Amino acid sequence: MFESLSSRLGKVFEKLTGRGALSEADVTEALREVRVALLEADVALSVVKEFIGRVKARAVGQEVIKSVTPGQMVVKIVHDELIATLGTKGTELNLSAVPPVVILMVGLQGSGKTTTSAKIALKLKKEKKKVLLASLDVYRPAAQQQLQILAGQAEVGSLPIVMGEMPVAISRRAVDVGRKEGYDVVILDTAGRLHIDQELMAEVAAVRDATQPTETLLVTDAMTGQDAVTLAREFNEKVGVTGIVLTRIDGDARGGAALSMRAITGRPIKFLGAGEKLDALEVFHPDRIAGRILG
Ligand code: GDP
């Protein structure tokens, strides 16, 4: 397993205990360890570099308070900066639009989009909202049926499947049904691909233009490593992301992708997926992810 950042830094500062303030040389040495820890946690390199720069600016010259070691002091600064970057603002779903409010789910295939769509539907149903789920994935034969089954489990509405209908037309019909049948929220689950391709982006952008979503949530597997940067940048530039959902945090992944995606898009992380079951959706608490990233 990975060595925790505290123990790494403990070693770096072993010889220095008792000094008054953190010198630039001490901090530089310590930040080498922080850098390794962040890279091990799958934070993207460009994000690591920028983050380290900010920590350095905060740490150099800081007085080390008596009750802690210099190592603990640096860990605290890193932890605080992680929390500040991950953010606590805007983590709630924005539902303030004329109903039906549209939530557009985007991401790569297998990221957990369909499951997360149903999880969010269930959460909103518990909050007394009337929710309609619609799958725009016309490429994988069973995708639309999969979402219908999950809608049944969550006991929320699902748009009847019309064979041969294309994504933009489905999304228009979903909003129409939503309006006519008094739904509060319509969740559109888009098709994913294994890799980003421009055809996918153009399709999602066309759906966005047709439905004017209030939320466009980028769903990403917590295992995503360096790819998180391209993924976040592409989706944000081409379709405009309003929030991020990180799935499979019930696994071993350290979740560095959360920091990368947040830093690249500036958009809040709204939910964490913590299992296959529909109630395994957690609201985002930055300290939990910060703790995981630091090990
Ligand atoms: P999609 O292709 O993006 O729609 O992905 P799916 O929603 O079909 O999910 C792919 C697989 O990941 C399914 O087997 C899900 O049960 C599973 N999955 C989704 N979210 C989570 C999660 O938070 N934790 C775990 N352990 N599995 C998940």
Side-chain angles (χ1 to χ4, degrees), residues 107-116 119 140 146 150 189-190 219 246-251 272-276 280:
L108 295 182
Q109 187 177 313
S111 59
K113 262 189 318 321
T114 305
T115 314
T116 306
K119 285 177 176 178
R140 280 187 309 156
Q146 186 197 347
L150 293 177
D189 180 21
T190 61
V219 181
L246 202 68
T247 63
R248 297 209 184 79
I249 63 135
D250 48 313
L272 301 175
E276 298 198 19

Side-chain angles (χ1 to χ4, degrees), residues 72-93:
Q72 287 166 335
M73 188 85 188
V74 174
V75 170
K76 182 172 179 338
I77 294 170
V78 171
H79 186 266
D80 290 350
E81 195 59 37
L82 268 179
I83 302 272
T85 309
L86 287 167
T88 50
K89 287 208 181 78
T91 54
E92 293 276 308
L93 269 184

Side-chain angles (χ1 to χ4, degrees), residues 33-46:
E33 296 296 330
V34 175
R35 185 185 155 97
V36 173
L38 292 175
L39 288 172
E40 275 180 3
D42 269 341
V43 181
L45 184 60
S46 58

Side-chain angles (χ1 to χ4, degrees), residues 156-224:
V156 299
S158 67
L159 188 74
I161 298 170
V162 174
M163 294 309 284
E165 196 176 26
M166 293 308 282
V168 172
I170 301 176
S171 69
R172 284 213 177 93
R173 182 161 60 89
V175 176
D176 235 37
V177 168
R179 195 174 296 124
K180 283 183 188 135
E181 299 186 9
Y183 281 94
D184 299 304
V185 181
V186 173
I187 301 177
L188 300 174
D189 180 21
T190 61
R193 302 274 207 282
L194 287 177
H195 303 284
I196 291 173
D197 69 55
Q198 295 315 318
E199 214 179 316
L200 166 73
M201 290 298 168
E203 181 182 290
V204 180
V207 169
R208 176 206 55 196
D209 294 344
T211 60
Q212 303 291 318
T214 304
E215 289 274 14
T216 299
L217 301 181
L218 174 57
V219 181
T220 312
D221 186 327
M223 293 285 284
T224 312

